[in-house]
């Protein structure tokens, strides 16, 4: 009966509307496009389903989506004889690890965009964004019932990175795969489930390095290590081991080879990737905090990073300097140095904050860059208390979610109308109006400040989604949810009725907690009563697990940085010196207790 109900609902989901004097086809949904009705909770929860749509390998059938099945299963037996970039020694190391086979398993992971290639650099960038958004705003995922879904996605990424990276006996990188597939992919417009063509693999090692891919996957594994720290300590430690190895490799060989990947994702520099990953690994090594004596290698000033002149390009797979500045800003490193840099780079990207839409970074995939700019604004607001920047980010997100002259949402499946001529082979195998609603996918979006958009399958700058798009979206939407909140009522209804979604599926990530139980705890920023007679055994045990650990230190630091709110009880337990204040003095005292 459930499937029949879903099919009936889906059958009523298409409508034709007039946009800008032209007639274009858009799908019609149940969410209102009006700003007053836009819910960041609904948008966050739905956005994760895009990753299920782009999942690759032997573990796709029967999962979150009814229309996706296992694909490219032969990636599990990729030929080493046709592998590119492997030295004889690296090939021998893989064969030794695989019992002498001349094949290697590179199955799993995620398709990059509307095609079916797999790139470690964009997979790593996207996973880092997801992990960072969870690190900053775990309650955004918990309270929307999305935590288990996110953790399953993070684990799929980490499993792929670790499986395709080979370490020696000293836990140093011998080689890793940075790309699966070739240009042939773009000449084949079919769903991934029916494809059978040979997929070549591309590898990096000391003689053929790929520092950007190594660093991006290192950063991702570090954030995933943090995400699993209190879920599965063994898995968290394994992620950190590989993160450290890949970061060390990137720092030792800070250059890149672009065989295969050159026409897609050739990075303008590697210095920024290495620096960004180094900070994340340091944070993961120290249980979610930076050492008090930590001094970053780069101290930027107006776009110049220690003599390395930056072109102010927004945080993206290609340039991560802006993310580096935002990350160090949130830890309060270097006084206002990094916060000022975030402001400088924001201003370089957008010089008219009053316009309805900020087409940051040019016309191709502008929505992702807009979301990255929103991340800057949210961090600047947090660091300075200037709430107007929260409002700037909020209005930009509302525009993307449908509060625009066309009433069009660029997050598919959200809003009254959304594009349907999608540049995505799995959802649109007939290259016409999409066969399936690609729930949660952020497409390229408007190309300019006027909201220009062309809903055509071949207009990939507008209609194609990608991993890095949704990664940037996660950083923005989780932050906005933390500031403004939002229900998930409509998302929950959509999940239960959409024919594309398997509402019976239970997300699982191998943790030691119930993955389906949402957090409903309400919190207050500041307690209203005086702290008196705290039982000494509770002092510092902020997570109430009966012991004082690194987890308590992380929680307290997050509160001080305004990434957490505390109940009255937690506030009392965190007030180590009983002065009715919770601040850095209490943090120092708690660290002493830990030592």
């Amino acid at each position: 009966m459930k499937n029949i109900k879903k099919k009936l609902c889906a059958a009523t989901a298409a409508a034709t509307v007039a946009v800008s004097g032209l007639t274009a086809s858009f799908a019609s949904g149940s969410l209102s496009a009006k700003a007053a009705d836009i819910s960041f909770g609904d948008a966050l929860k739905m956005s994760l389903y895009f990753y299920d749509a782009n999942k690759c390998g032997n573990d796709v059938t029967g999962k979150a989506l009814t229309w996706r099945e296992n694909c490219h299963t032969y990636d599990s037996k990729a030929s080493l004889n046709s592998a590119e970039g492997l030295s004889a020694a690296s090939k021998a190391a893989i064969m030794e690890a695989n019992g002498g086979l001349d094949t290697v398993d590179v199955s799993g992971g995620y398709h990059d965009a509307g095609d079916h290639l797999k790139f470690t650099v964009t997979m790593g960038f996207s996973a880092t964004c997801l992990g960072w958004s969870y690190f900053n705003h775990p309650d955004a995922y918990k309270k929307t019932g999305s935590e288990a879904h996110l953790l399953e996605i993070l684990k799929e990424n980490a499993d792929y990175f670790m499986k395709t990276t080979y370490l020696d006996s000293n836990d140093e990188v011998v080689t890793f795969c940075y790309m699966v597939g070739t240009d042939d992919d773009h000449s084949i417009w079919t769903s991934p489930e029916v494809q059978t063509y040979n997929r070549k693999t591309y590898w990096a090692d000391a003689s053929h390095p790929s520092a950007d891919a190594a660093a991006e996957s290192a950063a991702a594994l570090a954030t995933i290590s943090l995400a699993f720290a209190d879920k599965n300590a063994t898995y968290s430690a394994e992620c950190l081991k590989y993160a450290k190895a890949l970061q060390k490799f990137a720092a030792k060989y800070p250059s890149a080879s672009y065989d295969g990947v050159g026409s897609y994702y050739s990075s303008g520099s590697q210095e920024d990737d290495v620096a960004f990953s180094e900070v994340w690994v340091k944070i993961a090594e120290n249980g979610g905090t930076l050492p008090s004596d930590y001094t970053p290698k780069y101290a930027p000033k107006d776009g110049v990073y220690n003599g390395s002149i930056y072109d102010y390009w927004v945080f993206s797979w290609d340039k991560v300097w802006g993310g580096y500045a935002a990350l160090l800003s949130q830890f309060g490193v270097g006084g206002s140095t990094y916060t000022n840099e975030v402001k400088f780079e924001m201003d370089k990207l957008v010089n008219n904050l009053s316009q309805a839409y900020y087409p940051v970074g040019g016309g191709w995939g502008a929505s992702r860059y807009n979301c990255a700019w929103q991340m800057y604004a949210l961090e600047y607001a947090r660091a300075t208390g200037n709430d107007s920047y929260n409002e700037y980010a909020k209005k930009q997100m509302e525009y993307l979610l449908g509060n625009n002259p066309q009433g069009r949402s660029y997050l598919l499946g959200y809003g009254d109308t959304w594009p349907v001529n999608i540049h995505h082979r799995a959802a649109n195998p007939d290259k016409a109006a999409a066969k399936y609603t690609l729930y949660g996918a952020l497409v390229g979006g408007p190309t300019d400040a006027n909201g220009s958009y062309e809903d055509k399958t071949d207009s990939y700058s507008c209609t194609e989604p990608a991993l890095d798009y949704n990664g940037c979206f996660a950083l923005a939407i989780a932050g906005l949810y933390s500031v403004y909140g939002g229900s998930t009522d409509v998302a929950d209804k959509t999940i239960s009725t959409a024919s594309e979604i398997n509402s019976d599926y239970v997300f699982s990530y191998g943790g030691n907690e119930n993955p389906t139980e949402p957090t409903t705890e309400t919190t207050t920023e500041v307690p209203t009563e005086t702290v008196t007679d705290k039982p000494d055994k509770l002092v510092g045990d902020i997570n109430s697990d009966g012991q004082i650990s690194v987890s308590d230190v992380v929680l307290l630091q997050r509160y001080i940085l305004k990434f957490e709110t505390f109940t009255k009880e937690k506030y009392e337990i965190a007030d180590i010196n009983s002065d009715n204040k919770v601040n850095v003095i209490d943090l120092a005292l708690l660290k002493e207790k830990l030592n």
Side-chain angles (χ1 to χ4, degrees):
M1 180 63 71
K2 179 179 287 186
N3 287 337
I4 294 174
K5 179 182 178 184
K6 287 188 175 184
K7 289 178 181 178
L8 288 172
C9 291
T12 62
T16 301
V17 297
V19 179
S20 301
L22 299 174
T23 299
S25 295
F26 295 95
S28 176
S30 53
L31 288 170
S32 172
K34 297 178 181 178
D37 296 327
I38 286 174
S39 168
F40 296 142
D42 285 322
L44 183 153
K45 190 164 190 173
M46 293 307 303
S47 69
L48 296 180
Y49 283 94
F50 170 66
Y51 289 92
D52 301 300
N54 271 42
K55 193 174 181 181
C56 183
N58 299 284
D59 191 32
V60 183
T61 302
K63 294 301 179 75
L65 299 181
T66 60
W67 57 281
R68 280 301 324 280
E69 296 180 359
N70 293 346
C71 65
H72 302 118
T73 56
Y74 45 87
D75 284 350
S76 62
K77 296 181 179 180
S79 171
L80 281 175
N81 294 324
S82 62
E84 295 281 347
L86 282 176
S87 66
S90 295
K91 180 179 177 181
I94 294 175
M95 293 183 67
E96 181 180 359
N98 294 343
L101 296 175
D102 60 359
T103 61
V104 61
D105 185 1
V106 294
S107 62
Y110 293 91
H111 301 143
D112 178 59
D115 51 19
H116 304 130
L117 300 169
K118 293 189 292 190
F119 299 99
T120 294
V121 68
T122 51
M123 207 182 301
F125 174 82
S126 180
T128 299
C129 292
L130 291 174
W132 191 3
S133 72
Y134 181 71
F135 179 76
N136 285 353
H137 308 289
D139 280 353
Y141 291 94
K142 293 175 183 178
K143 292 181 179 179
T144 59
S146 305
E147 182 183 36
H149 194 173
L150 175 75
L151 292 171
E152 182 175 291
I153 295 166
L154 290 177
K155 188 173 186 299
E156 176 67 25
N157 277 282
D159 287 349
Y160 179 82
F161 296 141
M162 293 190 288
K163 177 168 64 175
T164 58
T165 300
Y166 287 81
L167 307 182
D168 63 18
S169 58
N170 295 317
D171 287 338
E172 295 190 354
V173 173
V174 175
T175 185
F176 67 93
C177 180
Y178 65 81
M179 178 180 174
V180 175
T182 66
D183 281 330
D184 292 342
D185 177 273
H186 280 184
S187 65
I188 306 172
W189 192 283
T190 60
S191 65
E193 287 84 357
V194 302
Q195 292 182 349
T196 58
Y197 74 96
N198 177 51
R199 283 158 66 90
K200 187 180 290 187
T201 59
Y202 295 83
W203 296 77
D205 59 17
S207 63
H208 187 253
S210 181
D212 48 353
E216 292 295 345
S217 54
L221 285 164
T223 66
I224 297 169
S225 171
L226 289 163
F228 278 86
D230 62 350
K231 303 289 190 300
N232 186 327
T234 301
Y235 188 75
S236 173
E238 189 74 355
C239 289
L240 182 56
K241 179 179 79 173
Y242 277 82
K244 291 165 66 175
L246 285 160
Q247 202 286 319
K248 184 177 180 180
F249 176 91
K252 187 174 182 180
Y253 306 105
S255 61
S257 305
Y258 292 120
D259 294 344
V261 76
S263 61
Y264 300 99
Y265 294 113
S266 54
S267 177
S269 67
Q270 288 73 52
E271 191 176 12
D272 54 329
D273 302 296
V274 174
F276 188 56
S277 64
E278 189 268 338
V279 177
W280 270 119
V281 168
K282 185 68 68 175
I283 292 169
E285 283 181 316
N286 287 275
T289 184
L290 284 170
S292 58
D293 61 349
Y294 177 73
T295 302
K297 183 178 179 181
Y298 298 90
K301 174 65 175 176
D302 295 346
V304 179
Y305 286 72
N306 290 21
S308 178
I309 299 176
Y310 178 41
D311 61 4
Y312 322 124
W313 192 255
V314 68
F315 177 64
S316 63
W317 66 265
D318 185 21
K319 299 285 179 67
V320 296
W321 278 132
Y324 178 83
L327 180 59
L328 290 172
S329 170
Q330 77 177 58
F331 279 93
V333 175
S336 61
T337 297
Y338 297 95
T339 302
N340 291 341
E341 182 62 25
V342 170
K343 177 65 162 57
F344 173 83
E345 294 186 21
M346 274 196 296
D347 292 344
K348 280 289 185 180
L349 292 163
V350 178
N351 56 21
N352 179 12
L353 294 173
S354 65
Q355 64 192 38
Y357 181 67
Y358 308 160
V360 179
W364 189 335
S367 63
R368 61 176 151 173
Y369 299 135
N370 182 287
C371 288
W373 190 95
Q374 291 178 46
M375 180 271 286
Y376 289 169
L378 290 165
E379 168 52 27
Y380 186 72
R382 185 209 63 80
T384 64
N386 188 338
D387 287 338
S388 62
Y389 279 83
N390 285 329
E391 285 294 306
Y392 293 136
K394 177 175 181 284
K395 290 178 181 178
Q396 291 303 297
M397 182 59 78
E398 288 174 344
Y399 187 101
L400 287 172
L401 294 178
N403 186 27
N404 54 59
Q406 294 78 27
R408 180 194 305 145
S409 171
Y410 298 100
L411 186 74
L412 302 187
Y414 185 102
D416 286 333
T417 59
W418 57 83
V420 296
N421 295 303
I422 306 304
H423 194 90
H424 191 274
R425 290 160 174 79
N428 187 7
D430 300 323
K431 207 173 185 182
K435 184 176 182 179
Y436 307 103
T437 297
L438 192 62
Y439 282 100
L442 181 71
V443 293
T447 58
D448 58 34
N450 295 321
S452 300
Y453 185 85
E454 189 172 49
D455 186 33
K456 294 182 179 179
T457 303
D458 286 334
S459 297
Y460 42 81
S461 62
C462 292
T463 61
E464 187 171 20
L467 296 178
D468 61 311
Y469 294 18
N470 269 63
C472 292
F473 183 85
L475 282 174
I477 199 68
L480 287 166
Y481 177 88
S482 293
V483 176
Y484 296 102
S487 78
T488 60
D489 292 347
V490 179
D492 292 336
K493 182 179 179 180
T494 301
I495 291 166
S496 69
T497 60
S499 61
E500 290 91 344
I501 298 176
N502 178 7
S503 56
D504 293 329
Y505 178 66
V506 177
F507 294 101
S508 177
Y509 54 86
N512 55 14
E513 296 181 345
N514 181 353
T516 61
E517 184 177 352
T519 299
T520 57
E521 177 186 11
T522 57
T523 59
T524 55
E525 182 66 29
V526 181
T528 58
E529 299 180 16
T530 303
V531 179
T532 57
D533 300 326
K534 298 193 302 293
D536 185 66
K537 67 177 181 179
L538 293 177
V539 175
D541 182 19
I542 300 170
N543 64 359
S544 302
D545 65 352
Q547 60 182 347
I548 294 174
S549 66
V550 171
S551 295
D552 299 302
V553 173
V554 173
L555 278 173
L556 181 51
Q557 177 167 281
R558 290 178 59 79
Y559 174 82
I560 293 170
L561 292 172
K562 301 179 183 178
F563 286 118
E564 289 280 348
T565 54
F566 279 179
T567 60
K568 176 177 176 292
E569 180 183 12
K570 282 187 177 182
Y571 192 94
E572 292 178 351
I573 293 170
D575 182 18
I576 310 298
N577 63 354
S578 299
D579 64 351
N580 296 325
K581 300 177 182 177
V582 173
N583 53 31
V584 292
I585 297 174
D586 298 294
L587 181 62
L589 291 172
L590 183 57
K591 288 181 178 179
E592 288 182 8
K593 281 178 172 286
L594 182 63
N595 296 331

